Each structure stands twice: as structure tokens, then as C-alpha cells.
């Protein structure tokens, strides 16, 4: 995979209900509230403080420059207002001796159960797999994270093993360009 991918240059990414844009410091308050929610973060090592969320956000912003991709703010524009629903996007993750393009997302509890994660994830994966330098997208999902496994399945991913990441076992879910194209033809 040749970096930077420059996927961020193709933003904003729009779906029928959502707008995905680069995260910036204006998103810190709703992002920090989401990352401090113990229910939202139950499959992650721990919740984050506002200071940790700001550091996380600054690392994400730096990934746009270094990798040309990263997690994005998921927004919904409605009735003249914009609601922050969460983040979703693709980041470069190195494990098993090589770089992978990983799909990741977090959504506020208020956004759960409405298909937003699937809609945003599908848009991100489709964008990535149309890029010539990307042949597959993976997702690292804790085995007990049934909602995220559902999102992975709905967008066509299949389980392809497991890895130890951040001291926790994660299943590796995978979607290749060929599998994505085959799904599009159905």
C-alpha cells in the first residue's frame, strides 16, 4: 500500500442520510462525550478523559497528513442543524508484519439502532476499494462485540482470523476489492 492514500481529498463523503468530513478540533466536545461514555466504550480498553480525547483527535488529524486517510466525523444535517453521530473511517494499522487499511467507528448511543454505522462503513469501504492502491479493508473487532460483527457482515466482510491488539484478542474481518465488486453486481 503506497502512502499517503489521499482518500481525504475526496471528502466530504455523502450518503443518503449522512455527511462524513475530516475531524477537527470543533468536534472535540461531542467526541469527548462519546469516548467518555462507558456503554459506548465497553469493548475498548477504557473510557477516555477529555484530555485523552483531545490527544486522540490530534493523532487522528495528523494521520490525514501522514496517511491521507483517518477516522471521519459522521454528521447528520437536518432542519438547519448538524448533529454529531460519531466517527467512522479508515486508518492505517500495522500488524502481522504489514500495513493494513482498517475500518473503525464509534457512534453515540443516540445514534444506535438506526443503520448509521452500516451506512457510514459501507461508504468508507466502497471509497477505499475504488482506490487503486487498496486491495482490501479489514476491521479489528472484539469477539463479544456482536453489534460491530453485524455491521461487518452487512457490508460483506468475513472473519479471517484473530490478532492480539492493545492487549486484547480481536477477530480480523476482511473485505477484498473482488468480493466488494461481486456484492455490487448482485
Amino acid at each position: 500500500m503506497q502512502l499517503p492514500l489521499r482518500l481525504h481529498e475526496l471528502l466530504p463523503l455523502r450518503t443518503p442520510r449522512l455527511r462524513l468530513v475530516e475531524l477537527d478540533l470543533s468536534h472535540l466536545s461531542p467526541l469527548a462525550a462519546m469516548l467518555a461514555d462507558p456503554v459506548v466504550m465497553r469493548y475498548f480498553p477504557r473510557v477516555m478523559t477529555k484530555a485523552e480525547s483531545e490527544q486522540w483527535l490530534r493523532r487522528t488529524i495528523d494521520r490525514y497528513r501522514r496517511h491521507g486517510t483517518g477516522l471521519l466525523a459522521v454528521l447528520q444535517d437536518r432542519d438547519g442543524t448538524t448533529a454529531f453521530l460519531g466517527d467512522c473511517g479508515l486508518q492505517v494499522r500495522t500488524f502481522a508484519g504489514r500495513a493494513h487499511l482498517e475500518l473503525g467507528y464509534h457512534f453515540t448511543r443516540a445514534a444506535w439502532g438506526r443503520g448509521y454505522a452500516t451506512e457510514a462503513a459501507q461508504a468508507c469501504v466502497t471509497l477505499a476499494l475504488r482506490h487503486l492502491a487498496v486491495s482490501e479493508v479489514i476491521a479489528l473487532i472484539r469477539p463479544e462485540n456482536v453489534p460491530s460483527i453485524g455491521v461487518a457482515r452487512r457490508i460483506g466482510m468475513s472473519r479471517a482470523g484473530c490478532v492480539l491488539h492493545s492487549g486484547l484478542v480481536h477477530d480480523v474481518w476482511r473485505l477484498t476489492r473482488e468480493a466488494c465488486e461481486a456484492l455490487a453486481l448482485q
Side-chain angles (χ1 to χ4, degrees), residues 14 21 25-26 51 60 62-63 67 69 71-72 81 91 96 98 118 125 127 136 140-141 145 150-151 173 183:
R14 295 184 186 275
V21 300
L25 291 175
S26 73
T60 297
D62 185 56
R63 285 185 183 108
H67 299 150
T69 189
L71 293 173
L72 306 169
T81 62
Q91 52 191 357
R98 71 180 188 98
T118 300
V125 167
L127 175 69
E136 71 177 12
L140 300 179
I141 303 174
N145 188 342
V151 170
W173 289 78
L183 287 170

Side-chain angles (χ1 to χ4, degrees), residues 54-74:
E54 182 175 348
Q55 290 172 346
W56 180 92
L57 178 57
R58 289 183 185 280
R59 284 191 308 271
T60 297
I61 292 167
D62 185 56
R63 285 185 183 108
Y64 301 143
R65 181 186 56 77
R66 288 186 300 117
H67 299 150
T69 189
L71 293 173
L72 306 169
V74 180

Side-chain angles (χ1 to χ4, degrees), residues 2-154:
Q2 180 89 16
L3 297 175
L5 290 172
R6 295 181 146 53
L7 293 176
H8 68 294
E9 293 174 1
L10 303 173
L11 299 175
L13 186 56
R14 295 184 186 275
T15 73
R17 302 181 297 166
L18 307 172
R19 180 169 51 96
L20 285 75
V21 300
E22 286 186 6
L23 283 159
D24 61 39
L25 291 175
S26 73
H27 300 116
L28 179 58
S29 288
L31 178 73
M34 179 182 69
L35 297 177
D37 184 330
V39 177
V40 169
M41 299 297 285
R42 69 190 181 275
Y43 299 114
F44 292 86
R46 61 184 176 74
V47 298
M48 292 186 199
T49 65
K50 187 163 186 174
E52 289 169 329
S53 293
E54 182 175 348
Q55 290 172 346
W56 180 92
L57 178 57
R58 289 183 185 280
R59 284 191 308 271
T60 297
I61 292 167
D62 185 56
R63 285 185 183 108
Y64 301 143
R65 181 186 56 77
R66 288 186 300 117
H67 299 150
T69 189
L71 293 173
L72 306 169
V74 180
L75 308 173
Q76 184 177 50
D77 299 315
R78 195 176 180 182
D79 303 325
T81 62
T82 299
F84 177 89
L85 302 179
D87 64 61
C88 182
L90 302 151
Q91 52 191 357
V92 176
R93 179 86 62 202
T94 302
F95 65 89
R98 71 180 188 98
H100 300 268
L101 192 58
E102 178 199 14
L103 171 68
Y105 44 84
H106 308 87
F107 281 84
T108 64
R109 272 197 269 176
W112 290 1
R114 297 189 167 117
Y116 297 137
T118 300
E119 189 172 328
Q122 183 67 62
C124 291
V125 167
T126 299
L127 175 69
L129 293 175
R130 286 185 178 151
H131 194 284
L132 295 177
V134 177
S135 60
E136 71 177 12
V137 173
I138 59 106
L140 300 179
I141 303 174
R142 300 267 307 274
E144 61 273 22
N145 188 342
V146 175
S148 285
I149 291 169
V151 170
R153 283 190 172 127
R154 282 190 293 279

